[in-house]
Amino acid sequence: MPHLLDNPIYNALVSAHHPISLGTKTVRYYLPSFASFAGLKDNSAANFEELYEISEPESFFIVFSINPLEISDQWKLIKQINMFQLVYEYQTVPTGDENGFVELNDTHVDEMIALVQLTEPGPFLEKTIDFSNYTGVFEGGKLISMAGHRFNPTPYTEVSAVCTHPNHLGKGYAYRLLREQIKRILAKNEIPFLHVRDDNEGAIKLYEKLGFKIRTSMIAYVIKKA
């Protein structure tokens, strides 16, 4: 039987995130202000056809798959990103500093978007903050590091938007924020997981230091209606 995390977006969209999605029983996608991700039950040609038929013109989506996919001509393949999916399998929180971060809210969204555009951890839109639990570190009144929650294929919660300004790397901010994210997810009796580019060696080492373990490879396909 397939693991829930083999298809994390679809399984989030048919469970915890169903209220903020559109689509059918087999093809769903987030409301455009929240995220650009689509979840397909089988990642089949029929699923992609259905996504094409039910979505708006010029629609842009990101689809995850554990296996390579053939993208039909009705979609323009913009980018393919090879990733690892890591899972935190412990019941205890890593040791570390309890303080030094700020709860992020709607007043911080412009700064959050700017930091994401600079560091490119993944897409971040106007309502992405509503996935919840975004925390950040400020220095000199400016947001320099952040992390939060995203996909929630119950009982798993994804840690996402993990990024630090290039001028402030190596100061332990990401470790501190990730530790807090793990703490919050475990407090809900859920299991933390995340995704990272498979060539991002620094981030992978950090995640493994915290206790995350690589579960599988994952491919992200960035596509647009042709």
Side-chain angles (χ1 to χ4, degrees):
M1 185 174 180
H3 193 287
L4 272 176
L5 295 184
D6 288 350
N7 197 349
I9 304 174
Y10 176 78
N11 286 318
L13 290 169
V14 297
S15 58
H17 288 168
H18 191 274
I20 56 172
S21 69
L22 300 170
T24 67
K25 289 183 178 180
T26 54
V27 173
R28 300 202 69 79
Y29 55 93
Y30 284 101
L31 294 171
S33 58
F34 279 81
S36 303
F37 296 94
L40 314 180
K41 185 175 182 179
D42 304 312
N43 282 331
S44 62
N47 285 170
F48 277 98
E49 175 69 27
E50 186 173 6
L51 178 62
Y52 190 89
E53 291 175 354
I54 66 175
S55 58
E56 295 295 320
E58 303 295 315
S59 287
F60 166 96
F61 295 110
I62 304 168
V63 176
F64 283 12
S65 175
I66 59 170
N67 299 309
L69 300 176
E70 279 198 28
I71 306 300
S72 64
D73 291 342
Q74 62 192 164
W75 296 98
K76 179 182 179 181
L77 177 61
I78 297 173
K79 187 186 296 186
Q80 177 179 322
I81 304 167
N82 296 321
M83 307 181 295
F84 289 130
Q85 181 186 86
L86 293 86
V87 179
Y88 188 85
E89 299 176 336
Y90 302 100
Q91 297 300 314
T92 55
V93 181
T95 56
D97 192 348
E98 292 280 351
N99 304 305
F101 59 84
V102 174
E103 300 291 335
L104 300 177
N105 57 47
D106 290 344
T107 66
H108 301 118
V109 168
D110 287 346
E111 281 190 272
M112 296 168 78
I113 291 174
L115 183 59
V116 166
Q117 289 175 342
L118 176 67
T119 57
E120 298 184 330
F124 194 94
L125 305 176
E126 178 186 354
K127 299 287 285 182
T128 302
I129 192 171
D130 289 354
F131 286 131
S132 80
N133 287 281
Y134 280 90
T135 54
V137 176
F138 286 79
E139 191 169 300
K142 295 185 177 181
L143 179 67
I144 57 170
S145 188
M146 73 175 196
H149 293 179
R150 190 170 62 185
F151 306 140
N152 187 195
T154 310
Y156 294 89
T157 295
E158 183 197 33
V159 181
S160 181
V162 182
C163 54
T164 299
H165 192 286
N167 294 343
H168 298 275
L169 296 172
K171 299 180 179 180
Y173 296 143
Y175 184 99
R176 186 185 306 169
L177 293 173
L178 282 160
R179 181 189 179 279
E180 178 64 18
Q181 296 300 321
I182 292 169
K183 179 181 176 182
R184 295 182 183 200
I185 294 168
L186 293 181
K188 298 191 300 177
N189 292 316
E190 295 200 334
I191 304 166
F193 78 109
L194 51 77
H195 296 94
V196 61
R197 290 182 66 114
D198 64 6
D199 60 356
N200 191 343
E201 295 180 4
I204 293 168
K205 287 180 181 178
L206 172 62
Y207 300 149
E208 291 180 331
K209 179 180 178 181
L210 280 153
F212 285 91
K213 293 181 180 179
I214 294 175
R215 177 186 166 269
T216 188
S217 296
M218 187 72 69
I219 307 168
Y221 293 91
V222 184
I223 59 174
K224 184 177 181 180
K225 291 179 80 165

